[in-house]
Amino acid sequence: MAGATLSLDNPIFAQFLFYAGVVLIKTCLMSLLTARYRHKNKAFLTDEDCQSLKRRTGVDVKPSKNDPDVERVRGCHQNDLENVIPFVLLGLLYSLTDPNPWYAKMHFRIFTVARLFHSVAYLYPLPQPSRALGWFLGYIITLSMGVSVVRAGVM
């Protein structure tokens, strides 16, 4: 386990950093996309946001919690939070188990592609089971890393 360190000298950890960074940035960008749809559709959650819009534009709107465009983006963002955080935590631990470099890279890469595909399938929307397949593939990858971490901890 000499190579299992949290260092850029560890190629597995370096790969993990790249892919974890991609999915975390994508998750952060979902907040901006939510804000974009809230402004575009004038679908604000709070009275103060509605009042701010009225002061700036003269447009009077009431708080809205059910705009379909906003809710689609929020659903995608919520799904990211539920899946990316476990991936990052388990991926970090998995990086320390000295896994086979090729398998580790495939775990990280497949998860990232699956999450990006899931977001495209969610936001556009693509017919099911597209989104479900993207979610399931990422979930299986995270679960696989989790099992590897637990197995390494038992030995």
Side-chain angles (χ1 to χ4, degrees), residues 43-117:
F44 302 106
L45 277 177
T46 63
D47 286 326
E48 61 270 18
D49 291 339
C50 294
Q51 292 304 317
S52 176
L53 178 71
K54 186 174 181 179
R55 279 192 306 277
R56 285 180 295 139
T57 66
V59 175
D60 192 19
V61 296
K62 300 290 180 216
S64 171
K65 295 182 181 180
N66 59 1
D67 182 87
D69 294 334
V70 172
E71 291 309 309
R72 181 163 290 279
V73 175
R74 287 188 61 217
C76 186
H77 189 198
Q78 179 66 38
N79 196 277
D80 274 350
L81 293 171
E82 293 166 1
N83 290 275
V84 170
I85 293 170
F87 166 78
V88 169
L89 294 173
L90 286 169
L92 178 64
L93 297 174
Y94 177 70
S95 296
L96 293 173
T97 66
D98 203 22
N100 176 294
W102 187 85
Y103 286 116
K105 185 178 187 178
M106 288 300 105
H107 274 83
F108 305 151
R109 183 177 286 171
I110 291 168
F111 180 87
T112 301
V113 169
R115 288 312 302 170
L116 293 171
F117 175 76

Side-chain angles (χ1 to χ4, degrees), residues 104-145:
K105 185 178 187 178
M106 288 300 105
H107 274 83
F108 305 151
R109 183 177 286 171
I110 291 168
F111 180 87
T112 301
V113 169
R115 288 312 302 170
L116 293 171
F117 175 76
H118 176 270
S119 294
V120 168
Y122 209 131
L123 296 174
Y124 279 99
L126 299 179
Q128 283 287 33
S130 301
R131 186 176 81 233
L133 289 173
W135 171 84
F136 186 69
L137 187 56
Y139 186 81
I140 291 298
I141 292 294
T142 303
L143 194 59
S144 173
M145 290 190 307

Side-chain angles (χ1 to χ4, degrees), residues 10-28:
N10 175 356
I12 293 168
F13 182 65
Q15 285 286 313
F16 168 70
L17 284 181
F18 173 78
Y19 289 107
V22 169
V23 294
L24 286 168
I25 289 169
K26 182 218 135 349
T27 300
C28 290

